[in-house]
Amino acid sequence: METAELPDELYELLDGRELITKQHEAMILMTVTEEGWPHTAMISVGEIVALDRGQVRLAMWNGTATTRNMIRTGKATLVLVYSGKAYYVKLALRLLPVLPAAKHPRERFEADILSVRADVAAYADIRSGIQVDFKEPEAVLTRWYETLAELRL
């Protein structure tokens, strides 16, 4: 099944609310290197926020290979396992202006969702995706809420 909008479960996961209950979820953000190789990075619910079902914003660390790839190509694919399905979300990216007074300086991107494909198998249940435990969860959650607030500016 393929659509150009986030389904309910992904929209709720990426809505920027109740991060404490979502803090263990991690996703893969795929880009392409200058040499044409796939490049993978992990991203959390504290670095991406759904503005609506057709658009998200991402906060990426400055100077990383992923960020450079996103700036160069204007494309990325978000891959996550959630709610019993594997999802592949194609994104068309636009670099947003720098926030001079940002508490957590990042490159900010706005992304149109080009397609969302849900992958399920009739013969198996997908039980989990990437999950993480933070060493200092309160500090991480505070930073995430501040980062998502800056993404909405």
Side-chain angles (χ1 to χ4, degrees):
M1 176 179 110
E2 194 165 319
T3 180
E5 291 189 338
L6 293 174
D8 291 344
E9 57 269 15
L10 290 190
Y11 181 71
E12 290 169 15
L13 175 67
L14 303 176
D15 67 6
R17 289 182 237 155
E18 299 177 32
L19 295 179
I20 194 165
T21 64
K22 304 170 186 177
Q23 67 179 302
H24 303 289
E25 299 297 330
M27 301 157 268
I28 298 293
L29 189 65
M30 298 181 64
T31 58
V32 177
T33 68
E34 288 185 68
E35 296 81 23
W37 289 99
H39 178 79
T40 57
M42 292 216 301
I43 188 170
S44 65
V45 294
E47 298 163 314
I48 182 170
V49 64
L51 300 179
D52 55 41
R53 292 181 189 279
Q55 206 168 52
V56 296
R57 285 192 178 171
L58 300 98
M60 304 302 297
W61 294 103
N62 300 325
T64 65
T66 301
T67 300
R68 288 192 305 273
N69 293 339
M70 291 168 70
I71 291 169
R72 190 183 77 260
T73 67
K75 297 176 182 177
T77 299
L78 183 67
V79 179
L80 65 151
V81 174
Y82 190 71
S83 192
K85 299 174 187 150
Y87 288 99
Y88 313 97
V89 183
K90 288 184 184 174
L91 304 172
L93 306 162
R94 290 178 299 286
L95 186 62
L96 294 171
V98 172
L99 289 178
K103 203 170 209 176
H104 307 283
R106 305 279 179 87
E107 294 288 356
R108 300 178 322 129
F109 294 86
E110 190 165 83
D112 292 326
I113 295 171
L114 301 181
S115 69
V116 178
R117 184 166 60 92
D119 196 359
V120 295
Y123 60 89
D125 293 325
I126 301 172
R127 294 180 41 197
S128 70
I130 299 168
Q131 301 220 328
V132 297
D133 289 317
F134 295 108
K135 295 175 182 166
E136 298 178 17
E138 289 179 16
V140 171
L141 289 168
T142 298
R143 185 178 73 239
W144 280 2
Y145 278 114
E146 292 166 348
T147 297
L148 296 183
E150 291 174 349
L151 273 178
R152 290 186 170 107
L153 296 177

